[in-house]
Amino acid sequence: MSGSDVPREPLRQRREPPEFRRVEVRRAEVVNPCLVRITLAGPELAGFRVEEPAASIRLLFPPPGARELVMPSWNGNEFLLPDGRRPAIRTFTPLRAVPDARTLDIEAVIHGDGVASQWAEAVEAGAQAAISGPGRGYVIDRDAPEFFLGGDESAVPAIGQLLGLLPVEIPTQVHLDARPAARVELPAHARTTVAWHDSTPGAPPGAALVAAVRAADIAPGTRIWAAGEAASVQRIRRHLFEERGVTRADATIRGYWKHGRAGGESEK
């Protein structure tokens, strides 16, 4: 049998994400120099609900320089445009969905590069977009002895959601790696300590968060939630699971974006 006759294994099919719902931007509000809150609206948001905090949605928007939204199709592994190119899709935390009003709020980090950042910085009312989701959120264990939340700027919206819902009697520590201009007032929580960290100039993204997790006093059984740049949270994951012996059932660690990646769906 020649090499060309050897049967090839079929590509593994991925589960198709929820259908895209067309929306338009109702307004864009500058929260601070690093954060823009965007309200999306449209009749296709009827019935759209987010049941868990720290969930996710995919946001599809026109490519840079274009205004018209072209809907992609699912090929069993990824979304592609009719001409075979990958569409501009990024993942965000759905902040507030109001099914009756058919609106959804998200927040986008402004960091000077990346198609999502550039889109959010320039977007105006009436701009076309589409959303798919929601993806899985975080199930709060109300019997947990303590909580530990960690993240970079991309995780601030999700951490704000979690703080608003965690039981007030449970001790919670929060560590955030964010530029001073990106810091926001978080929901009050009676037994929470919040520490903001600055990365050293020139250090890899998330370095200050990694250092904070390494230095933190995390008691056995603490429920841990952390998210941010993919390489940094991978280092956090190894530290928690391999060095501290944290059980995987006690920790939710998510890569929200990938430094230096121009395409795909990773950038917040």
Side-chain angles (χ1 to χ4, degrees), residues 30-58:
V30 176
V31 177
N32 60 42
C34 304
L35 199 64
V36 176
R37 177 169 294 184
I38 298 167
T39 299
L40 306 170
E44 293 188 18
L45 285 177
F48 179 83
R49 298 181 183 277
V50 182
E51 305 293 344
E52 298 171 339
S56 64
I57 61 160
R58 285 180 167 94

Short mmCIF file of all heavy atoms in Angstrom, two decimals, residues 30-58:
data_model
loop_
_atom_site.label_atom_id
_atom_site.label_comp_id
_atom_site.label_asym_id
_atom_site.label_seq_id
_atom_site.Cartn_x
_atom_site.Cartn_y
_atom_site.Cartn_z
N VAL A 30 -17.13 55.51 28.11
CA VAL A 30 -15.77 55.40 28.64
C VAL A 30 -15.85 55.30 30.17
O VAL A 30 -16.31 56.24 30.84
CB VAL A 30 -14.91 56.61 28.22
CG1 VAL A 30 -13.53 56.52 28.87
CG2 VAL A 30 -14.78 56.66 26.71
N VAL A 31 -15.42 54.16 30.71
CA VAL A 31 -15.41 53.96 32.16
C VAL A 31 -14.17 54.61 32.77
O VAL A 31 -14.22 55.29 33.78
CB VAL A 31 -15.47 52.46 32.51
CG1 VAL A 31 -15.39 52.24 34.02
CG2 VAL A 31 -16.75 51.84 31.95
N ASN A 32 -13.03 54.38 32.13
CA ASN A 32 -11.76 55.00 32.48
C ASN A 32 -10.88 54.93 31.24
O ASN A 32 -11.31 54.39 30.21
CB ASN A 32 -11.12 54.34 33.72
CG ASN A 32 -10.83 52.86 33.52
OD1 ASN A 32 -10.35 52.44 32.47
ND2 ASN A 32 -11.11 52.05 34.53
N PRO A 33 -9.65 55.47 31.27
CA PRO A 33 -8.84 55.47 30.05
C PRO A 33 -8.54 54.09 29.47
O PRO A 33 -8.11 53.99 28.32
CB PRO A 33 -7.55 56.16 30.51
CG PRO A 33 -7.96 57.01 31.67
CD PRO A 33 -9.02 56.22 32.36
N CYS A 34 -8.79 53.05 30.24
CA CYS A 34 -8.47 51.69 29.79
C CYS A 34 -9.68 50.80 29.59
O CYS A 34 -9.53 49.62 29.26
CB CYS A 34 -7.53 51.02 30.80
SG CYS A 34 -6.01 51.93 31.14
N LEU A 35 -10.87 51.33 29.79
CA LEU A 35 -12.05 50.47 29.77
C LEU A 35 -13.24 51.20 29.15
O LEU A 35 -13.52 52.35 29.48
CB LEU A 35 -12.40 50.06 31.20
CG LEU A 35 -13.29 48.83 31.40
CD1 LEU A 35 -12.60 47.57 30.89
CD2 LEU A 35 -13.64 48.67 32.88
N VAL A 36 -13.92 50.50 28.23
CA VAL A 36 -15.11 51.04 27.58
C VAL A 36 -16.27 50.07 27.82
O VAL A 36 -16.13 48.85 27.60
CB VAL A 36 -14.91 51.21 26.06
CG1 VAL A 36 -16.19 51.68 25.39
CG2 VAL A 36 -13.78 52.20 25.79
N ARG A 37 -17.39 50.60 28.30
CA ARG A 37 -18.60 49.78 28.46
C ARG A 37 -19.48 49.98 27.24
O ARG A 37 -19.79 51.11 26.86
CB ARG A 37 -19.37 50.16 29.72
CG ARG A 37 -20.67 49.37 29.89
CD ARG A 37 -21.27 49.57 31.25
NE ARG A 37 -20.42 48.98 32.29
CZ ARG A 37 -20.74 48.94 33.59
NH1 ARG A 37 -21.89 49.44 34.00
NH2 ARG A 37 -19.92 48.40 34.46
N ILE A 38 -19.86 48.86 26.63
CA ILE A 38 -20.62 48.89 25.38
C ILE A 38 -21.96 48.20 25.60
O ILE A 38 -22.01 47.06 26.10
CB ILE A 38 -19.83 48.20 24.25
CG1 ILE A 38 -18.50 48.94 24.01
CG2 ILE A 38 -20.65 48.12 22.98
CD1 ILE A 38 -17.53 48.18 23.16
N THR A 39 -23.02 48.89 25.24
CA THR A 39 -24.36 48.31 25.30
C THR A 39 -24.77 47.85 23.91
O THR A 39 -24.80 48.64 22.97
CB THR A 39 -25.39 49.32 25.84
OG1 THR A 39 -25.03 49.70 27.16
CG2 THR A 39 -26.79 48.71 25.87
N LEU A 40 -25.06 46.56 23.80
CA LEU A 40 -25.53 45.96 22.56
C LEU A 40 -27.03 45.77 22.64
O LEU A 40 -27.57 45.49 23.73
CB LEU A 40 -24.84 44.61 22.33
CG LEU A 40 -23.31 44.63 22.36
CD1 LEU A 40 -22.77 43.21 22.37
CD2 LEU A 40 -22.75 45.40 21.16
N ALA A 41 -27.72 45.91 21.52
CA ALA A 41 -29.18 45.80 21.53
C ALA A 41 -29.66 45.23 20.21
O ALA A 41 -28.98 45.30 19.19
CB ALA A 41 -29.81 47.16 21.79
N GLY A 42 -30.88 44.66 20.24
CA GLY A 42 -31.48 44.15 19.01
C GLY A 42 -32.54 43.12 19.31
O GLY A 42 -32.51 42.47 20.36
N PRO A 43 -33.48 42.94 18.41
CA PRO A 43 -34.58 41.99 18.64
C PRO A 43 -34.11 40.55 18.83
O PRO A 43 -34.79 39.76 19.49
CB PRO A 43 -35.45 42.15 17.39
CG PRO A 43 -34.59 42.82 16.37
CD PRO A 43 -33.63 43.67 17.14
N GLU A 44 -32.95 40.20 18.27
CA GLU A 44 -32.48 38.82 18.40
C GLU A 44 -31.95 38.51 19.79
O GLU A 44 -31.66 37.35 20.11
CB GLU A 44 -31.41 38.52 17.33
CG GLU A 44 -31.99 38.52 15.93
CD GLU A 44 -31.00 38.03 14.87
OE1 GLU A 44 -30.01 37.38 15.23
OE2 GLU A 44 -31.24 38.31 13.68
N LEU A 45 -31.87 39.52 20.67
CA LEU A 45 -31.49 39.28 22.07
C LEU A 45 -32.69 38.86 22.92
O LEU A 45 -32.53 38.60 24.11
CB LEU A 45 -30.84 40.53 22.68
CG LEU A 45 -29.41 40.81 22.24
CD1 LEU A 45 -28.91 42.10 22.87
CD2 LEU A 45 -28.48 39.66 22.61
N ALA A 46 -33.86 38.79 22.34
CA ALA A 46 -35.04 38.32 23.07
C ALA A 46 -34.76 36.92 23.60
O ALA A 46 -34.36 36.02 22.85
CB ALA A 46 -36.26 38.32 22.16
N GLY A 47 -34.95 36.72 24.88
CA GLY A 47 -34.73 35.41 25.49
C GLY A 47 -33.30 35.10 25.86
O GLY A 47 -33.03 34.06 26.45
N PHE A 48 -32.36 35.99 25.53
CA PHE A 48 -30.96 35.75 25.87
C PHE A 48 -30.78 35.98 27.37
O PHE A 48 -31.02 37.06 27.89
CB PHE A 48 -30.05 36.67 25.08
CG PHE A 48 -28.58 36.50 25.40
CD1 PHE A 48 -27.85 35.49 24.79
CD2 PHE A 48 -27.95 37.32 26.32
CE1 PHE A 48 -26.50 35.32 25.09
CE2 PHE A 48 -26.61 37.15 26.63
CZ PHE A 48 -25.89 36.14 26.01
N ARG A 49 -30.31 34.94 28.07
CA ARG A 49 -30.13 35.01 29.52
C ARG A 49 -28.75 34.49 29.89
O ARG A 49 -28.21 33.60 29.24
CB ARG A 49 -31.21 34.19 30.25
CG ARG A 49 -32.62 34.70 30.00
CD ARG A 49 -33.65 33.89 30.75
NE ARG A 49 -34.99 34.34 30.44
CZ ARG A 49 -35.59 35.37 31.02
NH1 ARG A 49 -34.94 36.05 31.97
NH2 ARG A 49 -36.80 35.73 30.67
N VAL A 50 -28.23 35.04 30.96
CA VAL A 50 -26.96 34.58 31.52
C VAL A 50 -27.25 34.12 32.94
O VAL A 50 -27.60 34.92 33.80
CB VAL A 50 -25.90 35.69 31.52
CG1 VAL A 50 -24.57 35.16 32.07
CG2 VAL A 50 -25.70 36.24 30.11
N GLU A 51 -27.12 32.82 33.19
CA GLU A 51 -27.53 32.25 34.47
C GLU A 51 -26.42 32.24 35.51
O GLU A 51 -26.69 32.17 36.71
CB GLU A 51 -28.04 30.81 34.26
CG GLU A 51 -29.17 30.68 33.24
CD GLU A 51 -30.46 31.35 33.70
OE1 GLU A 51 -30.59 31.63 34.89
OE2 GLU A 51 -31.33 31.59 32.83
N GLU A 52 -25.15 32.29 35.08
CA GLU A 52 -24.02 32.18 36.01
C GLU A 52 -23.08 33.37 35.86
O GLU A 52 -22.92 33.89 34.74
CB GLU A 52 -23.25 30.88 35.76
CG GLU A 52 -24.07 29.62 35.98
CD GLU A 52 -23.34 28.37 35.50
OE1 GLU A 52 -22.42 28.49 34.67
OE2 GLU A 52 -23.71 27.28 35.95
N PRO A 53 -22.43 33.80 36.94
CA PRO A 53 -21.43 34.87 36.83
C PRO A 53 -20.17 34.37 36.14
O PRO A 53 -19.92 33.16 36.06
CB PRO A 53 -21.15 35.24 38.29
CG PRO A 53 -21.40 33.96 39.04
CD PRO A 53 -22.55 33.30 38.32
N ALA A 54 -19.37 35.33 35.65
CA ALA A 54 -18.10 35.02 35.00
C ALA A 54 -18.28 34.09 33.81
O ALA A 54 -17.42 33.25 33.51
CB ALA A 54 -17.10 34.42 35.99
N ALA A 55 -19.41 34.25 33.12
CA ALA A 55 -19.66 33.48 31.90
C ALA A 55 -18.93 34.16 30.73
O ALA A 55 -18.14 35.08 30.92
CB ALA A 55 -21.16 33.39 31.64
N SER A 56 -19.21 33.71 29.52
CA SER A 56 -18.53 34.29 28.36
C SER A 56 -19.49 34.36 27.17
O SER A 56 -20.46 33.61 27.10
CB SER A 56 -17.31 33.46 27.97
OG SER A 56 -17.69 32.16 27.55
N ILE A 57 -19.21 35.29 26.29
CA ILE A 57 -19.87 35.33 24.99
C ILE A 57 -18.80 35.51 23.92
O ILE A 57 -17.72 36.04 24.18
CB ILE A 57 -20.89 36.48 24.88
CG1 ILE A 57 -20.20 37.84 25.05
CG2 ILE A 57 -22.04 36.29 25.84
CD1 ILE A 57 -20.98 39.00 24.49
N ARG A 58 -19.11 35.07 22.71
CA ARG A 58 -18.29 35.42 21.55
C ARG A 58 -18.90 36.66 20.90
O ARG A 58 -20.11 36.71 20.70
CB ARG A 58 -18.27 34.29 20.53
CG ARG A 58 -17.39 33.10 20.90
CD ARG A 58 -17.47 32.06 19.80
NE ARG A 58 -16.46 31.03 19.91
CZ ARG A 58 -16.64 29.87 20.53
NH1 ARG A 58 -17.82 29.62 21.09
NH2 ARG A 58 -15.67 28.97 20.58
#
